[in-house]
Amino acid sequence: MATAVPAERDAVARAFPEPGRELHLPGVVLHRLHGPSGTFDLLAAGVGPALAAASASAALTAARYEEAPYDLVVSAGIAGGFPPGAPVASLVVADRITAADLGAETADGFLPVTELGFGRVTHVPPPSLVRAVADATGAGVGTILTVSTVTGTASRAAALRAHHPGALAEAMEGFGVAEAADAHGVAVVEFRAVSNPVGPRDRAAWRIGDALTALTTAFGKLAPVLESWNRHDDQ
């Protein structure tokens, strides 16, 4: 499981009965946690899609060299939510993980790299897992956008919604984590607790503590779902 910062990592870890132990690997520090029927490695991967991809890839590579490859990668943490679909302190699981600003600005507006003839901008998590996560936690299901710059104006929020009408939230790491997982042939899902509305930057409207608490509570319900999921359910 990959979060951006230690506060998110610690919120996830609090959902587990044991504190776990640190594993120092080349380029990355993992926290190994034990659930009732499975083991989870938890990583504070860093802020932004590039560092998140590099950190997640380092963990995936180390696991493969240890001949203990992962079955699933979870990008988790807090996010901005698009009102009214994702209010503050609610939960969101991605049915699409989309890089919202990977492309080019033109005289006719923004073009994603796919329309420029190369690359991709979206990963689709396993549908059966998305449904199971939503059922277990009550999370809303929709697109989670990955941005390199957090939205701070009403005009930018409106532009994102126009380009991505199915978007429920924006964060900064999901697409990077998904790129790393896909390169290693591992399934990925993104799960977020909403800490603030997407739109004009207003620190007074942020409820980071509430979002972290929601994340801890959700992972208490989510861990058994992750442990029992079988990727063959989507094949």
Side-chain angles (χ1 to χ4, degrees):
M1 293 181 288
T3 70
V5 297
E8 295 168 319
R9 178 199 64 203
D10 295 345
V12 173
R14 283 194 291 272
F16 292 82
E18 301 292 334
R21 62 189 180 93
E22 283 192 354
L23 299 176
H24 291 259
L25 303 174
V28 70
V29 178
L30 301 178
H31 290 250
R32 181 152 292 171
L33 304 166
H34 297 283
S37 60
T39 299
F40 297 88
D41 286 343
L42 181 57
L43 163 69
V47 175
L51 184 53
S55 298
S57 187
L60 287 158
T61 299
R64 189 165 296 278
Y65 274 111
E66 291 178 356
E67 298 185 354
Y70 297 112
D71 298 314
L72 174 67
V73 176
V74 182
S75 178
I78 62 177
F82 288 96
V88 173
S90 68
L91 303 168
V92 178
V93 59
D95 60 1
R96 295 169 67 85
I97 302 169
T98 295
D101 50 14
L102 183 59
E105 290 289 348
T106 75
D108 297 319
F110 176 79
L111 291 178
V113 292
T114 50
E115 294 187 27
L116 299 174
F118 57 91
R120 60 183 161 190
V121 294
T122 294
H123 289 272
V124 178
S128 69
L129 179 58
V130 172
R131 289 192 300 270
V133 169
D135 289 345
T137 64
V141 178
T143 301
I144 299 181
L145 303 178
T146 299
V147 295
S148 295
T149 301
V150 173
T151 299
T153 65
S155 60
R156 176 60 175 160
L160 288 174
R161 289 303 299 267
H163 281 290
H164 308 282
L168 285 183
E170 71 166 25
M172 301 181 74
E173 294 79 32
F175 185 78
V177 173
E179 287 278 81
D182 186 73
H184 286 263
V186 180
V188 65
V189 68
E190 185 171 8
F191 183 79
R192 299 278 175 173
V194 176
S195 59
N196 58 279
V198 177
R201 187 172 176 82
D202 178 9
R203 292 291 297 268
W206 294 4
R207 288 168 50 194
I208 292 176
D210 290 344
L212 292 174
T213 297
L215 195 63
T216 300
T217 301
F219 263 88
K221 304 171 184 177
L222 190 56
V225 173
L226 301 177
E227 291 169 353
S228 63
W229 178 72
N230 187 330
R231 70 180 302 159
H232 298 294
D233 292 343
D234 289 288
Q235 296 179 349

